Amino acid sequence: MMRLLSPLLAVTVALQFSYALALRHATPVPNPLLANTALPPLARVTPDQVKPAVQSTLAVAENSLTDLEQALSSKLKEDEGPVPYEQILPPLLELYDSYGKPWGLFSHLRAVRDSPQLRAIEDELRPAVVAFGQRLSQSKPIYSALARLNQSSSFASLTEAQQRAVRSELLDRKLGGVALEGAQAEEFNKLQRELSELSSNYSTNVLDAQAAWNMTLTAKDEVKGIPARALEGAADAARKAGHEKATAEDGPWLVSLDGTVMDPVLSYCENRELRETMFRASDTVASSGPHDNSEVLKKILQIRQQNAELLGFSNYDELSLATKMASHDAVTKLLQEVRDAARPAAQKDDLELRDFARSGAEVDGQKLPALEDLQKWDHFFYSQRLLLARYAVDREALRVYFPFPAAIKGLQGLTHRLFGVTLEPVHGEVAAAAKWHADVELFQVARGKELMGYVMVDPFSRPGEKRAGGWMQQLVSREQRPSKQPRLPVAAVMTNFPQPQEGKPSLLSLEEVSTLFHEFGHAMQHVLTVQNESSVSGINGIEWDAVEVASQFMEYWVDYDRQTLFSMARHYETGEPLPEESYKKLLVAKNFRSGTGLLGQVYLATMDLRLHEGYKEGEDPDGIAKAVGREVLINPPLPEGRPLCSFSHIFDGGYAAGYYSYLWSQVLSADAFNAFDTAGNLTVTQALVNFGAQDSKGEDAVEKLGRRWASTVLADGGGRAPEKVFIDFLGRQPSAAALLHYSGLDLPGALV
Ligand SMILES: [Zn+2]
């Protein structure tokens, strides 16, 4: 019998340990980071509690790992038989849980309530946490036990979810090089270290090169057209650089390659010379001088290829796709299909834009300079004007129709309608203890009388202490051990909406409403899971290229389901619904230049795969990328451009040989929504001015499909192969037709 700590015991031991530490300071308060409550009591966490919590759990986990390794080693030596599932996976998951819990909660707090103090704590603790993670993932006895279980005849008797949990553990470890021996193992580890250093150099070079570039502008003419918000940023940067009196109105302005300045310049600045200078600077960033990435990226490609070969793959594409839903053939087919559909549309977009630029049209009371030779740095600018000329919608002015509380109501309505669940706000002591900030709202998610889990929402921006953007964080994952109560999942949704002002709610843009629905899609998949193994419950264990499906799916309801949109789109003061005219313009504008957009994605995805297809030392990556550009794009890249030198997604991010994932998950989510659309006549109904024409038969079909979505995609999570889950839902293989349809590439104007 193995001597293993149960999770409860592990926590108790850890608690005793931290009590001991705490007692020394004569403050016998239980550490909230170690609490065993349904909702982590994050309101009570103070910075001084982090170190004892993390260190004590690490100490316990070190011992548990040693015990587990000893038990597995003796079992492996004892006989040739398989190591039972119960002796590997549950103890392993307990280990992940026990050492991962305080560290995970701490990382969450860093993202939502950061401070220099927390940053310093992280710097201090990280090396030990990383070292333990490495020891755990490199463990030979664990790998051998998993491998033997996987090959044994008893493997077939495990549930599908258990099989997936074992296989993904095994694959992760194999890709980490655990199966290699002797010189090969040494070589692999050496290359891995080199690779991680190169990736880090790569991103440092990008950041440094971007930071090193700036321009100070003094004449108002030079910045004409740039929106006030960006000019404020540029004046602020100028003040920091020593121009103490700089103002947004009168300058001077310091412009940089940061997206918050660069994008508005390219889209709105009337000064063509500035647009060109900045476009060229960005297109060649980190390609020369002290922050040159040219050789770094060659070396990265070369090492990835070498490592793939050491692990038994023919190239890095193959290695990357081994962990994903898509097969190489399926990706190639998809890229070809989208390219065929998008190219003619992109060609048309291009001609249209050139005609428009040549015409010197008047837009918004202002005459544009007529342009004969439209260049790369003119594309964004003229596209913006064309959009305005065609579908003049002031998107900022629409915010009054989307107060944040109404968006939450819209979500409550949609999740009830589709999945048959209720989202009820929770108040009181437990809620207060769980909320890490006063803005946070807590909802319990129930199906009938059954409590499924919790969603916490942290909606508003807090510059300086909260990370930008929107994301979902799993705080607790569902788990159920035989004859025990299930541990219920907790999902946290973070967004950065404007703070409510006195007497005025936070007013959202339509994009922000979509972001909220997107993140709630992740949260629903995390909370409505029925899986019992924490490594495959909720969003855990879902393949990289399938994890955005449940979230993107929710965005379609904002975009294309009239009932959902109008359930929330009311003026926050007058209660008037969104004007019909604005709604129609929004619908039409959705597919503006969509062919060009899709073709751009095909280009990046194809180039990424081509670069990782068997790179050989001495090959010119830039040449490979340019060849793909000439093949795919309407306007090929500039010969002097070096965009690979700052393509961090694939050189220092998770997207290497995986950039296609964006398109892949869009295909799946569009296909899924299309099933609802067809069955419920949703987009046909939305074309009818007289809302309420929706037939009850269609609504029944929507409800039925919604329940099926919940019982397949949302319930199965990482416990079933996504290609199977998708067929369970749709009854067939996915097809790109729906994505093309919603991009306006099959029936032009069908949705108007
Ligand atoms: Zn997402």
Side-chain angles (χ1 to χ4, degrees), residues 34-75:
L34 301 171
N36 212 7
T37 48
L39 289 155
L42 291 173
R44 294 196 273 115
V45 178
T46 54
D48 60 306
Q49 292 162 330
V50 177
K51 213 167 127 182
V54 171
Q55 286 179 336
S56 62
T57 41
L58 267 185
V60 174
E62 292 276 3
N63 289 335
S64 306
L65 177 54
T66 306
D67 289 346
L68 178 61
E69 285 184 319
Q70 276 169 3
L72 292 176
S73 299
S74 57
K75 174 77 191 156

mmCIF file of all heavy atoms in Angstrom, residues 34-75:
data_model
loop_
_atom_site.group_PDB
_atom_site.id
_atom_site.type_symbol
_atom_site.label_atom_id
_atom_site.label_comp_id
_atom_site.label_asym_id
_atom_site.label_seq_id
_atom_site.Cartn_x
_atom_site.Cartn_y
_atom_site.Cartn_z
ATOM 1 N N LEU A 34 -5.005 28.701 1.671
ATOM 2 C CA LEU A 34 -5.028 27.251 1.874
ATOM 3 C C LEU A 34 -6.404 26.763 2.309
ATOM 4 O O LEU A 34 -6.597 25.580 2.557
ATOM 5 C CB LEU A 34 -4.002 26.865 2.944
ATOM 6 C CG LEU A 34 -2.556 27.256 2.632
ATOM 7 C CD1 LEU A 34 -1.672 27.024 3.838
ATOM 8 C CD2 LEU A 34 -2.044 26.482 1.433
ATOM 9 N N ALA A 35 -7.361 27.673 2.381
ATOM 10 C CA ALA A 35 -8.681 27.305 2.891
ATOM 11 C C ALA A 35 -9.334 26.264 1.997
ATOM 12 O O ALA A 35 -9.147 26.263 0.784
ATOM 13 C CB ALA A 35 -9.559 28.541 2.974
ATOM 14 N N ASN A 36 -10.092 25.395 2.610
ATOM 15 C CA ASN A 36 -10.739 24.330 1.857
ATOM 16 C C ASN A 36 -12.226 24.626 1.657
ATOM 17 O O ASN A 36 -13.064 23.758 1.810
ATOM 18 C CB ASN A 36 -10.553 23.008 2.607
ATOM 19 C CG ASN A 36 -10.460 21.856 1.628
ATOM 20 O OD1 ASN A 36 -10.401 22.076 0.419
ATOM 21 N ND2 ASN A 36 -10.467 20.643 2.138
ATOM 22 N N THR A 37 -12.547 25.865 1.323
ATOM 23 C CA THR A 37 -13.944 26.261 1.154
ATOM 24 C C THR A 37 -14.341 26.164 -0.314
ATOM 25 O O THR A 37 -13.483 26.126 -1.188
ATOM 26 C CB THR A 37 -14.139 27.717 1.614
ATOM 27 O OG1 THR A 37 -13.101 28.511 1.011
ATOM 28 C CG2 THR A 37 -14.025 27.833 3.120
ATOM 29 N N ALA A 38 -15.661 26.126 -0.569
ATOM 30 C CA ALA A 38 -16.136 26.010 -1.952
ATOM 31 C C ALA A 38 -15.657 27.188 -2.792
ATOM 32 O O ALA A 38 -15.271 27.030 -3.944
ATOM 33 C CB ALA A 38 -17.654 25.935 -1.976
ATOM 34 N N LEU A 39 -15.673 28.371 -2.187
ATOM 35 C CA LEU A 39 -15.186 29.564 -2.880
ATOM 36 C C LEU A 39 -13.924 30.040 -2.173
ATOM 37 O O LEU A 39 -13.946 30.271 -0.962
ATOM 38 C CB LEU A 39 -16.237 30.671 -2.820
ATOM 39 C CG LEU A 39 -17.472 30.449 -3.675
ATOM 40 C CD1 LEU A 39 -18.661 31.219 -3.123
ATOM 41 C CD2 LEU A 39 -17.202 30.853 -5.114
ATOM 42 N N PRO A 40 -12.818 30.180 -2.900
ATOM 43 C CA PRO A 40 -11.591 30.657 -2.238
ATOM 44 C C PRO A 40 -11.843 32.031 -1.601
ATOM 45 O O PRO A 40 -12.333 32.934 -2.278
ATOM 46 C CB PRO A 40 -10.594 30.768 -3.393
ATOM 47 C CG PRO A 40 -11.154 29.939 -4.497
ATOM 48 C CD PRO A 40 -12.636 29.929 -4.329
ATOM 49 N N PRO A 41 -11.534 32.198 -0.302
ATOM 50 C CA PRO A 41 -11.815 33.478 0.372
ATOM 51 C C PRO A 41 -10.782 34.538 0.013
ATOM 52 O O PRO A 41 -9.961 34.937 0.842
ATOM 53 C CB PRO A 41 -11.762 33.109 1.859
ATOM 54 C CG PRO A 41 -10.900 31.897 1.929
ATOM 55 C CD PRO A 41 -10.970 31.191 0.612
ATOM 56 N N LEU A 42 -10.839 35.024 -1.228
ATOM 57 C CA LEU A 42 -9.775 35.889 -1.730
ATOM 58 C C LEU A 42 -9.790 37.292 -1.144
ATOM 59 O O LEU A 42 -8.798 38.008 -1.205
ATOM 60 C CB LEU A 42 -9.841 35.951 -3.260
ATOM 61 C CG LEU A 42 -9.468 34.626 -3.935
ATOM 62 C CD1 LEU A 42 -9.707 34.686 -5.433
ATOM 63 C CD2 LEU A 42 -8.010 34.277 -3.662
ATOM 64 N N ALA A 43 -10.934 37.693 -0.566
ATOM 65 C CA ALA A 43 -11.003 39.044 -0.004
ATOM 66 C C ALA A 43 -10.027 39.200 1.149
ATOM 67 O O ALA A 43 -9.542 40.292 1.425
ATOM 68 C CB ALA A 43 -12.423 39.337 0.468
ATOM 69 N N ARG A 44 -9.744 38.081 1.836
ATOM 70 C CA ARG A 44 -8.958 38.184 3.069
ATOM 71 C C ARG A 44 -7.459 38.015 2.861
ATOM 72 O O ARG A 44 -6.688 38.112 3.808
ATOM 73 C CB ARG A 44 -9.456 37.128 4.068
ATOM 74 C CG ARG A 44 -10.882 37.387 4.544
ATOM 75 C CD ARG A 44 -11.207 36.585 5.781
ATOM 76 N NE ARG A 44 -11.698 35.243 5.458
ATOM 77 C CZ ARG A 44 -11.070 34.125 5.764
ATOM 78 N NH1 ARG A 44 -9.917 34.160 6.380
ATOM 79 N NH2 ARG A 44 -11.590 32.956 5.447
ATOM 80 N N VAL A 45 -7.044 37.735 1.615
ATOM 81 C CA VAL A 45 -5.622 37.457 1.402
ATOM 82 C C VAL A 45 -4.786 38.727 1.563
ATOM 83 O O VAL A 45 -5.089 39.758 0.973
ATOM 84 C CB VAL A 45 -5.384 36.872 -0.008
ATOM 85 C CG1 VAL A 45 -3.898 36.628 -0.234
ATOM 86 C CG2 VAL A 45 -6.172 35.585 -0.183
ATOM 87 N N THR A 46 -3.747 38.637 2.379
ATOM 88 C CA THR A 46 -2.804 39.756 2.495
ATOM 89 C C THR A 46 -1.454 39.279 1.958
ATOM 90 O O THR A 46 -1.169 38.080 1.990
ATOM 91 C CB THR A 46 -2.644 40.198 3.961
ATOM 92 O OG1 THR A 46 -2.293 39.049 4.741
ATOM 93 C CG2 THR A 46 -3.926 40.807 4.503
ATOM 94 N N PRO A 47 -0.634 40.201 1.438
ATOM 95 C CA PRO A 47 0.628 39.783 0.805
ATOM 96 C C PRO A 47 1.503 38.902 1.698
ATOM 97 O O PRO A 47 2.150 37.973 1.205
ATOM 98 C CB PRO A 47 1.322 41.109 0.496
ATOM 99 C CG PRO A 47 0.212 42.093 0.345
ATOM 100 C CD PRO A 47 -0.857 41.656 1.304
ATOM 101 N N ASP A 48 1.481 39.158 3.011
ATOM 102 C CA ASP A 48 2.376 38.377 3.875
ATOM 103 C C ASP A 48 1.946 36.915 4.006
ATOM 104 O O ASP A 48 2.683 36.094 4.540
ATOM 105 C CB ASP A 48 2.459 39.029 5.262
ATOM 106 C CG ASP A 48 1.092 39.107 5.918
ATOM 107 O OD1 ASP A 48 0.177 39.661 5.276
ATOM 108 O OD2 ASP A 48 0.927 38.588 7.036
ATOM 109 N N GLN A 49 0.733 36.586 3.523
ATOM 110 C CA GLN A 49 0.281 35.190 3.626
ATOM 111 C C GLN A 49 0.745 34.337 2.450
ATOM 112 O O GLN A 49 0.649 33.114 2.486
ATOM 113 C CB GLN A 49 -1.254 35.152 3.689
ATOM 114 C CG GLN A 49 -1.812 35.737 4.974
ATOM 115 C CD GLN A 49 -3.279 36.081 4.840
ATOM 116 O OE1 GLN A 49 -3.752 36.422 3.758
ATOM 117 N NE2 GLN A 49 -3.999 36.003 5.943
ATOM 118 N N VAL A 50 1.219 35.011 1.383
ATOM 119 C CA VAL A 50 1.528 34.272 0.157
ATOM 120 C C VAL A 50 2.712 33.327 0.350
ATOM 121 O O VAL A 50 2.634 32.133 0.045
ATOM 122 C CB VAL A 50 1.810 35.250 -1.011
ATOM 123 C CG1 VAL A 50 2.211 34.481 -2.260
ATOM 124 C CG2 VAL A 50 0.589 36.119 -1.286
ATOM 125 N N LYS A 51 3.790 33.870 0.875
ATOM 126 C CA LYS A 51 5.007 33.077 0.993
ATOM 127 C C LYS A 51 4.808 31.830 1.865
ATOM 128 O O LYS A 51 5.137 30.720 1.424
ATOM 129 C CB LYS A 51 6.134 33.959 1.545
ATOM 130 C CG LYS A 51 7.488 33.592 1.000
ATOM 131 C CD LYS A 51 8.492 34.665 1.327
ATOM 132 C CE LYS A 51 9.690 34.041 2.016
ATOM 133 N NZ LYS A 51 10.686 35.049 2.395
ATOM 134 N N PRO A 52 4.255 31.981 3.091
ATOM 135 C CA PRO A 52 4.058 30.757 3.888
ATOM 136 C C PRO A 52 3.148 29.747 3.197
ATOM 137 O O PRO A 52 3.413 28.543 3.265
ATOM 138 C CB PRO A 52 3.421 31.263 5.190
ATOM 139 C CG PRO A 52 3.179 32.706 5.038
ATOM 140 C CD PRO A 52 3.938 33.197 3.865
ATOM 141 N N ALA A 53 2.105 30.227 2.510
ATOM 142 C CA ALA A 53 1.182 29.285 1.858
ATOM 143 C C ALA A 53 1.896 28.516 0.751
ATOM 144 O O ALA A 53 1.813 27.289 0.671
ATOM 145 C CB ALA A 53 -0.017 30.041 1.292
ATOM 146 N N VAL A 54 2.616 29.243 -0.103
ATOM 147 C CA VAL A 54 3.274 28.588 -1.239
ATOM 148 C C VAL A 54 4.399 27.676 -0.746
ATOM 149 O O VAL A 54 4.518 26.521 -1.166
ATOM 150 C CB VAL A 54 3.814 29.636 -2.242
ATOM 151 C CG1 VAL A 54 4.678 28.974 -3.309
ATOM 152 C CG2 VAL A 54 2.656 30.379 -2.897
ATOM 153 N N GLN A 55 5.196 28.174 0.181
ATOM 154 C CA GLN A 55 6.339 27.373 0.634
ATOM 155 C C GLN A 55 5.903 26.124 1.391
ATOM 156 O O GLN A 55 6.480 25.053 1.227
ATOM 157 C CB GLN A 55 7.270 28.232 1.491
ATOM 158 C CG GLN A 55 8.055 29.208 0.620
ATOM 159 C CD GLN A 55 8.977 30.102 1.409
ATOM 160 O OE1 GLN A 55 8.745 30.338 2.591
ATOM 161 N NE2 GLN A 55 10.015 30.610 0.758
ATOM 162 N N SER A 56 4.855 26.250 2.208
ATOM 163 C CA SER A 56 4.443 25.069 2.968
ATOM 164 C C SER A 56 3.857 24.006 2.045
ATOM 165 O O SER A 56 4.141 22.821 2.189
ATOM 166 C CB SER A 56 3.439 25.454 4.054
ATOM 167 O OG SER A 56 2.271 25.984 3.473
ATOM 168 N N THR A 57 3.057 24.422 1.050
ATOM 169 C CA THR A 57 2.491 23.409 0.153
ATOM 170 C C THR A 57 3.580 22.782 -0.705
ATOM 171 O O THR A 57 3.533 21.594 -1.007
ATOM 172 C CB THR A 57 1.404 23.992 -0.771
ATOM 173 O OG1 THR A 57 1.821 25.254 -1.225
ATOM 174 C CG2 THR A 57 0.081 24.096 -0.067
ATOM 175 N N LEU A 58 4.576 23.586 -1.082
ATOM 176 C CA LEU A 58 5.675 23.027 -1.872
ATOM 177 C C LEU A 58 6.421 21.965 -1.067
ATOM 178 O O LEU A 58 6.761 20.901 -1.589
ATOM 179 C CB LEU A 58 6.656 24.124 -2.280
ATOM 180 C CG LEU A 58 6.445 24.790 -3.634
ATOM 181 C CD1 LEU A 58 7.586 25.752 -3.920
ATOM 182 C CD2 LEU A 58 6.338 23.767 -4.757
ATOM 183 N N ALA A 59 6.649 22.261 0.205
ATOM 184 C CA ALA A 59 7.378 21.310 1.048
ATOM 185 C C ALA A 59 6.610 19.994 1.137
ATOM 186 O O ALA A 59 7.185 18.905 1.010
ATOM 187 C CB ALA A 59 7.590 21.907 2.437
ATOM 188 N N VAL A 60 5.293 20.099 1.326
ATOM 189 C CA VAL A 60 4.473 18.888 1.404
ATOM 190 C C VAL A 60 4.494 18.152 0.068
ATOM 191 O O VAL A 60 4.633 16.928 0.000
ATOM 192 C CB VAL A 60 3.016 19.251 1.793
ATOM 193 C CG1 VAL A 60 2.122 18.018 1.730
ATOM 194 C CG2 VAL A 60 2.983 19.866 3.178
ATOM 195 N N ALA A 61 4.384 18.932 -1.025
ATOM 196 C CA ALA A 61 4.333 18.317 -2.350
ATOM 197 C C ALA A 61 5.644 17.605 -2.687
ATOM 198 O O ALA A 61 5.638 16.541 -3.309
ATOM 199 C CB ALA A 61 4.012 19.376 -3.396
ATOM 200 N N GLU A 62 6.776 18.184 -2.279
ATOM 201 C CA GLU A 62 8.078 17.532 -2.516
ATOM 202 C C GLU A 62 8.062 16.130 -1.909
ATOM 203 O O GLU A 62 8.457 15.151 -2.550
ATOM 204 C CB GLU A 62 9.220 18.340 -1.875
ATOM 205 C CG GLU A 62 9.503 19.687 -2.519
ATOM 206 C CD GLU A 62 10.428 19.614 -3.732
ATOM 207 O OE1 GLU A 62 10.815 18.495 -4.119
ATOM 208 O OE2 GLU A 62 10.738 20.683 -4.301
ATOM 209 N N ASN A 63 7.580 16.042 -0.666
ATOM 210 C CA ASN A 63 7.537 14.743 0.010
ATOM 211 C C ASN A 63 6.556 13.791 -0.660
ATOM 212 O O ASN A 63 6.850 12.617 -0.849
ATOM 213 C CB ASN A 63 7.136 14.918 1.481
ATOM 214 C CG ASN A 63 8.258 15.566 2.263
ATOM 215 O OD1 ASN A 63 9.428 15.459 1.878
ATOM 216 N ND2 ASN A 63 7.918 16.257 3.337
ATOM 217 N N SER A 64 5.385 14.321 -1.024
ATOM 218 C CA SER A 64 4.386 13.462 -1.671
ATOM 219 C C SER A 64 4.934 12.909 -2.976
ATOM 220 O O SER A 64 4.693 11.754 -3.324
ATOM 221 C CB SER A 64 3.111 14.244 -1.976
ATOM 222 O OG SER A 64 2.634 14.854 -0.824
ATOM 223 N N LEU A 65 5.666 13.756 -3.712
ATOM 224 C CA LEU A 65 6.220 13.303 -4.989
ATOM 225 C C LEU A 65 7.240 12.190 -4.751
ATOM 226 O O LEU A 65 7.243 11.173 -5.453
ATOM 227 C CB LEU A 65 6.849 14.484 -5.742
ATOM 228 C CG LEU A 65 7.543 14.157 -7.067
ATOM 229 C CD1 LEU A 65 6.614 13.404 -8.018
ATOM 230 C CD2 LEU A 65 8.050 15.429 -7.756
ATOM 231 N N THR A 66 8.089 12.377 -3.753
ATOM 232 C CA THR A 66 9.072 11.335 -3.441
ATOM 233 C C THR A 66 8.353 10.026 -3.101
ATOM 234 O O THR A 66 8.705 8.958 -3.611
ATOM 235 C CB THR A 66 9.949 11.775 -2.247
ATOM 236 O OG1 THR A 66 10.496 13.055 -2.557
ATOM 237 C CG2 THR A 66 11.064 10.784 -1.988
ATOM 238 N N ASP A 67 7.311 10.123 -2.277
ATOM 239 C CA ASP A 67 6.544 8.922 -1.906
ATOM 240 C C ASP A 67 5.929 8.262 -3.139
ATOM 241 O O ASP A 67 5.990 7.045 -3.307
ATOM 242 C CB ASP A 67 5.412 9.292 -0.934
ATOM 243 C CG ASP A 67 5.961 9.672 0.433
ATOM 244 O OD1 ASP A 67 7.154 9.398 0.678
ATOM 245 O OD2 ASP A 67 5.200 10.252 1.235
ATOM 246 N N LEU A 68 5.334 9.092 -3.988
ATOM 247 C CA LEU A 68 4.679 8.552 -5.182
ATOM 248 C C LEU A 68 5.702 7.858 -6.077
ATOM 249 O O LEU A 68 5.475 6.747 -6.571
ATOM 250 C CB LEU A 68 3.971 9.677 -5.944
ATOM 251 C CG LEU A 68 3.271 9.288 -7.255
ATOM 252 C CD1 LEU A 68 2.162 8.261 -7.013
ATOM 253 C CD2 LEU A 68 2.676 10.514 -7.961
ATOM 254 N N GLU A 69 6.847 8.502 -6.274
ATOM 255 C CA GLU A 69 7.880 7.911 -7.135
ATOM 256 C C GLU A 69 8.370 6.585 -6.567
ATOM 257 O O GLU A 69 8.552 5.613 -7.297
ATOM 258 C CB GLU A 69 9.049 8.885 -7.296
ATOM 259 C CG GLU A 69 8.717 10.043 -8.226
ATOM 260 C CD GLU A 69 9.899 10.969 -8.468
ATOM 261 O OE1 GLU A 69 10.628 11.253 -7.496
ATOM 262 O OE2 GLU A 69 10.086 11.395 -9.618
ATOM 263 N N GLN A 70 8.564 6.544 -5.236
ATOM 264 C CA GLN A 70 9.029 5.295 -4.617
ATOM 265 C C GLN A 70 8.001 4.191 -4.800
ATOM 266 O O GLN A 70 8.332 3.061 -5.171
ATOM 267 C CB GLN A 70 9.294 5.513 -3.130
ATOM 268 C CG GLN A 70 10.680 6.078 -2.881
ATOM 269 C CD GLN A 70 10.860 6.548 -1.445
ATOM 270 O OE1 GLN A 70 9.958 6.394 -0.616
ATOM 271 N NE2 GLN A 70 12.009 7.121 -1.157
ATOM 272 N N ALA A 71 6.745 4.525 -4.551
ATOM 273 C CA ALA A 71 5.683 3.520 -4.669
ATOM 274 C C ALA A 71 5.592 3.004 -6.101
ATOM 275 O O ALA A 71 5.482 1.795 -6.333
ATOM 276 C CB ALA A 71 4.355 4.126 -4.242
ATOM 277 N N LEU A 72 5.670 3.919 -7.063
ATOM 278 C CA LEU A 72 5.558 3.500 -8.465
ATOM 279 C C LEU A 72 6.776 2.679 -8.873
ATOM 280 O O LEU A 72 6.654 1.666 -9.561
ATOM 281 C CB LEU A 72 5.396 4.719 -9.383
ATOM 282 C CG LEU A 72 4.075 5.485 -9.241
ATOM 283 C CD1 LEU A 72 4.069 6.729 -10.122
ATOM 284 C CD2 LEU A 72 2.877 4.603 -9.581
ATOM 285 N N SER A 73 7.966 3.094 -8.434
ATOM 286 C CA SER A 73 9.184 2.361 -8.790
ATOM 287 C C SER A 73 9.115 0.929 -8.282
ATOM 288 O O SER A 73 9.441 -0.016 -9.009
ATOM 289 C CB SER A 73 10.423 3.032 -8.200
ATOM 290 O OG SER A 73 10.539 4.318 -8.706
ATOM 291 N N SER A 74 8.679 0.759 -7.030
ATOM 292 C CA SER A 74 8.663 -0.613 -6.516
ATOM 293 C C SER A 74 7.583 -1.431 -7.218
ATOM 294 O O SER A 74 7.769 -2.606 -7.495
ATOM 295 C CB SER A 74 8.509 -0.643 -4.996
ATOM 296 O OG SER A 74 7.357 0.031 -4.624
ATOM 297 N N LYS A 75 6.487 -0.798 -7.559
ATOM 298 C CA LYS A 75 5.431 -1.503 -8.306
ATOM 299 C C LYS A 75 5.959 -1.923 -9.690
ATOM 300 O O LYS A 75 5.708 -3.034 -10.155
ATOM 301 C CB LYS A 75 4.212 -0.585 -8.443
ATOM 302 C CG LYS A 75 3.099 -1.105 -9.314
ATOM 303 C CD LYS A 75 2.269 -2.175 -8.613
ATOM 304 C CE LYS A 75 1.328 -2.855 -9.606
ATOM 305 N NZ LYS A 75 0.931 -4.186 -9.185
#
